[in-house]
Amino acid sequence: MDFEPPFQGTCKTLLQNPTHYHDKLSDVDECELPVIDLNNLNFGHIEREKCVSEVAQAARQWGFFQVVNHGVSQEVVNNMQYEQKRLFRQPFPKKVENNLLNLSANSYRWGNPEATCLKQFSWSEAFHISTTEIPTMRTEHKSLRSTIEAFVKTVSGLARSLAEILAQPLGIKPVYFEENCPARTSYLRLNRYAPCPFSSQVYGLISHTDTDFLTIVYQDQVGGLEIYKDGRWLGVKPNPEALIVNIGDFFEALSNGIYKSIKHRVVTSQKVERFSVAYFYCPSYDVVIKSCGKPALYRQFTLREYKQQTEIDVREIGEKVGLSRFLL
């Protein structure tokens, strides 16, 4: 199929070298993430405070939770699924061209062509779209653009609201996010996980944490997302009515370790493709992230500095090290 990236050619080379194997993927137990009804924020003081407490508790204990009555209509979700499939069905050479959607260079990414071992290879493809680039997407993709605009309009407000809720127990003023996370600094990632003939050996997305404050994800019902909690991997059961929210590295640092940015990954399927959309709520590049508690667990840093360190780590050791680089 002309739309598939050359996953197999790259992966077969790695599979042929026995020193490049990692442990065979094993079955994991399935879990249901905490589900929080955001409608309760609109009721009386008691209901609202209970909802705020539930959000903070989930961020502390899980680092992941689900929200229902989130404001993203089923129509927008359905349109997004349809448009994603159309986009990823474009011929691979066309997707690689930077002018397909009129996005910045390297907005389309697949696998890791420079991987030296299987644990560095992700059997997936994605479009990374800065919110500033959405209005200038090509007119021939007008329906995709309008669908993305509708999705981002809702989830951007949701991300800010959740961030402000999580700030309350920390004593951080809600205006912190208004001042430090302008809409232009966040981005959207459209993901496709292709069927994989080596699904017992290759991840759809390798284990990682997110470089942001919050991530909001819509996933289809195929499943495959796994989180690392209490020393073991757990599969996340899909919920068709929910969006998934996870804490990013910057909220863990800002909260001085109270909220948890935990490792997560995606496993592949032999026969079924999987789609998801992720919105990353990020600060400006030069905003200083400083732990709110004392003694501070992490030294202060900026997004620019954090990304530079991540690039160095990926280049030198093949993976992101993350917050441990900034421990005091």
Side-chain angles (χ1 to χ4, degrees):
M1 292 177 283
D2 66 350
F3 63 82
E4 289 287 10
F7 291 125
Q8 293 213 31
T10 303
C11 210
K12 280 182 177 178
T13 301
L14 301 178
L15 286 164
Q16 287 169 358
N17 189 336
T19 63
H20 287 167
Y21 277 85
H22 59 63
D23 294 336
K24 187 174 181 180
L25 277 63
S26 57
D27 292 335
V28 300
D29 292 331
E30 195 173 56
C31 72
E32 290 193 31
L33 296 175
V35 179
I36 299 168
D37 187 349
L38 296 183
N39 252 353
N40 291 325
L41 294 172
N42 303 317
F43 296 145
H45 176 75
I46 294 176
E47 290 86 352
R48 177 179 174 80
E49 289 305 306
K50 182 183 177 185
C51 186
V52 168
S53 177
E54 289 174 348
V55 171
Q57 182 178 4
R60 287 194 306 269
Q61 296 182 355
W62 287 80
F64 269 75
F65 55 94
Q66 299 177 102
V67 292
V68 295
N69 291 314
H70 41 67
V72 180
S73 70
Q74 191 60 48
E75 180 183 8
V76 169
V77 167
N78 292 342
N79 289 344
M80 182 64 80
Q81 288 181 313
Y82 174 76
E83 294 296 340
Q84 262 191 286
K85 289 179 181 179
R86 285 186 62 202
L87 177 62
F88 283 110
R89 290 294 186 273
Q90 295 288 323
F92 176 69
K94 196 171 181 181
K95 287 186 286 191
V96 173
E97 294 175 8
N98 291 326
N99 63 356
L100 173 61
L101 295 177
N102 194 33
L103 302 176
S104 57
N106 301 318
S107 293
Y108 173 73
R109 306 170 193 180
W110 67 276
N112 180 3
E114 298 178 357
T116 59
C117 57
L118 287 179
K119 71 176 184 178
Q120 296 173 4
F121 191 82
S122 293
W123 193 282
S124 57
E125 56 179 328
F127 283 92
H128 293 240
I129 306 174
S130 167
T131 52
T132 60
E133 295 181 307
I134 297 171
T136 59
M137 289 172 62
R138 292 193 176 279
T139 53
E140 57 262 41
H141 298 282
K142 183 169 59 176
S143 58
L144 172 63
R145 184 177 67 191
S146 62
T147 299
I148 289 176
E149 285 174 337
F151 184 82
V152 168
K153 182 179 179 180
T154 303
V155 295
S156 60
L158 175 60
R160 181 170 158 184
S161 295
L162 289 171
E164 291 173 352
I165 286 170
L166 288 165
Q168 289 182 32
L170 303 176
I172 296 171
K173 295 180 179 179
V175 73
Y176 175 91
F177 297 100
E178 181 181 348
E179 293 174 347
N180 296 313
C181 300
R184 68 179 183 276
T185 62
S186 296
Y187 68 96
L188 198 71
R189 188 170 72 199
L190 310 182
N191 301 303
R192 174 181 177 262
Y193 302 89
C196 176
F198 316 113
S199 59
S200 65
Q201 296 167 294
V202 182
Y203 293 108
L205 190 61
I206 59 175
S207 171
H208 67 286
T209 58
D210 289 350
T211 304
D212 62 359
F213 277 113
L214 290 172
T215 308
I216 298 178
V217 178
Y218 171 76
Q219 63 168 349
D220 61 21
Q221 300 309 296
V222 172
L225 174 63
E226 296 182 349
I227 64 172
Y228 192 71
K229 186 179 187 298
D230 299 330
R232 62 187 182 130
W233 287 99
L234 298 170
V236 175
K237 184 177 180 180
N239 182 337
E241 298 180 355
L243 295 178
I244 294 174
V245 181
N246 67 274
I247 301 298
D249 295 344
F250 298 159
F251 232 136
E252 176 166 336
L254 182 68
S255 70
N256 207 33
I258 293 175
Y259 300 146
K260 308 301 182 186
S261 176
I262 67 170
K263 289 183 178 181
H264 49 287
R265 67 190 185 190
V266 177
V267 295
T268 56
S269 167
Q270 275 197 324
K271 298 181 179 179
V272 184
E273 62 184 351
R274 175 183 184 268
F275 292 90
S276 69
V277 185
Y279 176 83
F280 297 85
Y281 187 55
C282 302
S284 299
Y285 263 80
D286 294 312
V287 168
V288 175
I289 309 297
K290 185 177 181 181
S291 295
C292 68
K294 293 183 180 180
L297 293 177
Y298 305 100
R299 67 176 177 86
Q300 63 184 39
F301 58 86
T302 64
L303 171 57
R304 187 183 304 279
E305 183 182 3
Y306 198 83
K307 283 198 168 186
Q308 287 172 346
Q309 182 61 57
T310 297
E311 289 171 3
I312 292 170
D313 289 336
V314 170
R315 185 169 61 249
E316 294 184 351
I317 64 175
E319 60 185 344
K320 170 185 170 182
V321 175
L323 277 176
S324 60
R325 286 285 192 211
F326 296 84
L327 281 167
L328 288 172

